Amino acid sequence: MRLIWGLGFLLGLLSLAQGAEDYYARCARLYAQGALESAQATCELALVSDPTHRPSLRLLARIHLEKGEAARAEGYLERLGEDPEAPLLQARLLLVRGRPGEVLKLPLTQSPEGRLLRARALEALRRYEEALGEAQGLPPTPEVRLLLSRLHLALGNPELGLVALGFTLEEQLERGRLLFLTGRPQETAALLEDLLPQLATRPELQRQALSTLVLAYLGQGDLARGRAALAQLSGLENLPGLLLSYAWPWLLALLAFLVLSLLGESRIEPLRTVELVDNPMPGPGSLYLFLLLALLLALGFAAFLGQTLFANALALVTPYQRDQILPSFYLAYGLLLFLGLLLWQRRRLPQVLGPLEGFVEGFWVGPALVLLLFAYGAARDSVSLPTLPLNLLAFLGLALMEPFFRGLAPLVLRERYRDLAPYLVPLLFALAVPGPTLLLFLLGAGLLLVKERMGGVLGLSLGWVVAGVVLSLLPAPWLRLL
């Protein structure tokens, strides 16, 4: 009798194990087809048959990682325990959680997946050359091809990124984006319009496609189609919230500037407005109008340059293209401000520039600026803040802006607002120069203190040039730390 019961118990265990294997085989087929929800449900049925079924635990961890559900994936990893695939799954979990540095400490094998995960970690750390070395030669899965495409774009070779792509939905979407970034918006629009119906059940991919279409149409001046794509995008994306997430530092600076200006105006004595003096200082209104005119002309130049190079008048706000256009925009903006200052305030120019011997100070201001940029780069990763275009042309443009922002602006604002001027001048610099608002405010405040110590702006201008030359001599991996 005991023998019969023992045999029955063993047969029951075998049937449960067989059931788990059947469910797992069906789960793996669904996973390969991209049906993640169905695959997840089927793998969970396998665990009902056998709660310790390792293949199902592994696959469920992968499914939740692909869905971005890190907590649930971690639960399955804990149940998996010691397993040959555990380091690979742990690496994927760390990448989902934004901790790529820890991935490189894991004992990943030299298998294709281990190399792929190391490459993805290096990409997240902006070590693109090393990441490309790891990724090249891997089996051309969609994940590998997309990684190669991103790396080639990050290294300034988008055409090679196009060659690397295949024909899955994700890769076709990336192809459309790269076509747009390389200056082929008409091909982009045709490809993405054909692709949109296939993305109806993939809202995240649909959102990316519509974002590219909006820029492609508006950048070519096709306002009707651009508005139509924008209307579709607004149904998937909170556009005001998205704008606020990018523009909040600038809006905060604008609010502070307006509050301080109103406070300063409220403290002005009526008789001060009718004082008669020789060679009167221009008022803040004239200063702002002059600044606005220079900014609009520089933006027009950037739009013309974007249209010429990339068939996109909005290149200044487009990823990758922005990096090519922004240095020339800064240079044009600085030239317009400096030449306008020569024409508008020629008689006051010696007072604005300060003593000629002040240029010597630039030889320590330049290295100080480089060190500040490295310190900002070390801190900005944790909060995802942008940095300056690290290009010599951009730094020449910033050097040409110094006579206006640290020379004339303090004189005008101090004449009008007295002790509020040291706060208004850095805010004006951060508001009027398109770029990283927080960094520009910090640099503006620091440079204003240095200018007060030196008594002129020549050293500041030379400092920007020295910093630009130093940065141009640094290797590209170092620049990505800024």
Side-chain angles (χ1 to χ4, degrees):
M1 192 65 175
R2 290 180 181 176
L3 180 60
I4 294 172
W5 280 108
L7 289 172
F9 180 71
L10 288 173
L11 288 172
L13 288 177
L14 288 171
S15 66
L16 283 175
Q18 183 63 40
E21 288 295 339
D22 289 341
Y23 282 125
Y24 171 72
R26 197 181 314 161
C27 174
R29 286 196 300 271
L30 291 167
Y31 176 76
Q33 295 166 10
L36 297 185
E37 296 294 340
S38 300
Q40 177 186 330
T42 309
C43 273
E44 287 169 352
L45 288 174
L47 291 182
V48 171
S49 297
D50 180 5
T52 62
H53 192 248
R54 287 181 173 273
S56 297
L57 288 170
R58 293 188 203 109
L59 194 49
L60 275 169
R62 287 185 182 277
I63 289 169
H64 287 297
L65 286 170
E66 288 192 24
K67 294 167 66 176
E69 298 170 350
R72 298 192 66 179
E74 187 174 25
Y76 286 112
L77 274 174
E78 290 173 356
R79 290 173 61 181
L80 190 59
E82 294 293 331
D83 189 87
E85 288 192 32
L88 300 173
L89 295 171
Q90 183 67 29
R92 289 187 179 274
L93 178 63
L94 290 170
L95 288 172
V96 168
R97 288 183 165 167
R99 291 149 59 184
E102 297 179 34
V103 173
L104 300 179
K105 299 176 184 177
L106 293 174
L108 299 176
T109 64
Q110 284 298 317
S111 65
E113 186 174 11
R115 289 177 57 196
L116 170 62
L117 292 170
R118 274 195 298 273
R120 286 183 55 191
L122 291 166
E123 177 198 18
L125 294 169
R126 298 199 293 270
R127 292 159 60 179
Y128 301 124
E129 291 86 357
E130 295 175 67
L132 187 60
E134 285 281 1
Q136 285 177 329
L138 289 175
T141 63
E143 188 177 8
V144 170
R145 292 195 297 262
L146 284 168
L147 173 62
L148 286 171
S149 173
R150 293 195 305 269
L151 292 174
H152 285 306
L153 177 63
L155 291 170
N157 302 307
E159 294 291 349
L160 291 178
L162 281 169
V163 173
L165 290 171
F167 297 96
T168 64
L169 281 178
E170 291 83 354
E171 290 172 278
Q172 288 290 76
L173 178 58
E174 183 66 11
R175 184 184 304 279
R177 191 172 78 95
L178 288 183
L179 285 171
F180 172 61
L181 295 182
T182 53
R184 292 140 75 179
Q186 294 180 345
E187 294 178 59
T188 297
L191 174 62
L192 294 182
E193 289 286 6
D194 289 342
L195 201 61
L196 273 176
Q198 303 175 53
L199 303 177
T201 59
R202 308 282 297 275
E204 182 57 37
L205 298 184
Q206 193 177 18
R207 188 180 298 115
Q208 294 175 33
L210 286 169
S211 299
T212 304
L213 270 177
V214 169
L215 287 172
Y217 283 136
L218 294 181
Q220 294 179 86
D222 192 341
L223 301 183
R225 291 183 180 178
R227 284 197 299 266
L230 192 61
Q232 286 182 267
L233 181 61
S234 65
L236 299 170
E237 185 78 71
N238 178 8
L239 295 179
L242 184 64
L243 177 63
L244 187 61
S245 69
Y246 285 104
W248 68 265
W250 190 88
L251 294 173
L252 195 60
L254 177 63
L255 178 62
F257 187 83
L258 292 175
V259 169
L260 290 174
S261 296
L262 290 173
L263 178 61
E265 291 291 339
S266 70
R267 294 163 52 186
I268 294 176
E269 301 172 9
L271 289 178
R272 280 178 53 199
T273 62
V274 294
E275 293 177 356
L276 298 177
V277 295
D278 294 330
N279 191 20
M281 189 73 67
S286 301
L287 186 81
Y288 303 152
L289 284 174
F290 172 75
L291 182 59
L292 181 61
L293 177 62
L295 177 59
L296 291 176
L297 289 173
L299 289 173
F301 171 75
F304 168 76
L305 202 57
Q307 187 67 40
T308 303
L309 296 178
F310 302 109
N312 176 26
L314 300 178
L316 195 61
V317 296
T318 302
Y320 175 73
Q321 295 177 0
R322 175 180 58 229
D323 298 335
Q324 319 301 313
I325 299 295
L326 198 54
S328 299
F329 165 79
Y330 271 53
L331 182 60
Y333 193 17
L335 279 170
L336 287 166
L337 286 174
F338 184 70
L339 293 176
L341 196 60
L342 284 178
L343 297 173
W344 181 37
Q345 295 293 319
R346 180 183 294 273
R347 288 188 298 171
R348 192 168 275 113
L349 205 56
Q351 183 184 3
V352 168
L353 296 178
L356 293 177
E357 59 271 15
F359 82 92
V360 177
E361 302 281 355
F363 291 104
W364 70 262
V365 172
L369 284 171
V370 173
L371 291 176
L372 285 172
L373 287 173
F374 271 105
Y376 175 79
R380 76 184 182 92
D381 280 343
S382 57
V383 285
S384 301
L385 291 172
T387 189
L388 288 171
L390 304 175
N391 184 289
L392 182 57
L393 289 182
F395 280 67
L396 290 175
L398 288 164
L400 290 168
M401 296 179 199
E402 284 302 315
F404 180 86
F405 285 110
R406 245 71 60 189
L408 181 63
L411 296 175
V412 172
L413 297 177
R414 189 177 292 114
E415 173 75 14
R416 182 77 173 178
Y417 300 123
R418 306 300 186 191
D419 57 328
L420 295 178
Y423 308 101
L424 287 167
V425 171
L427 285 170
L428 180 63
F429 182 57
L431 289 170
V433 179
T437 303
L438 178 60
L439 176 60
L440 289 170
F441 173 75
L442 295 174
L443 289 174
L447 289 173
L448 185 62
L449 291 175
V450 175
K451 181 257 180 180
E452 296 299 329
R453 173 187 175 277
M454 295 189 304
V457 300
L458 292 178
L460 305 184
S461 294
L462 181 61
W464 282 112
V465 177
V466 171
V469 171
V470 170
L471 292 174
S472 68
L473 297 176
L474 296 179
W478 287 27
L479 295 181
R480 296 190 197 109
L481 299 175
L482 301 178

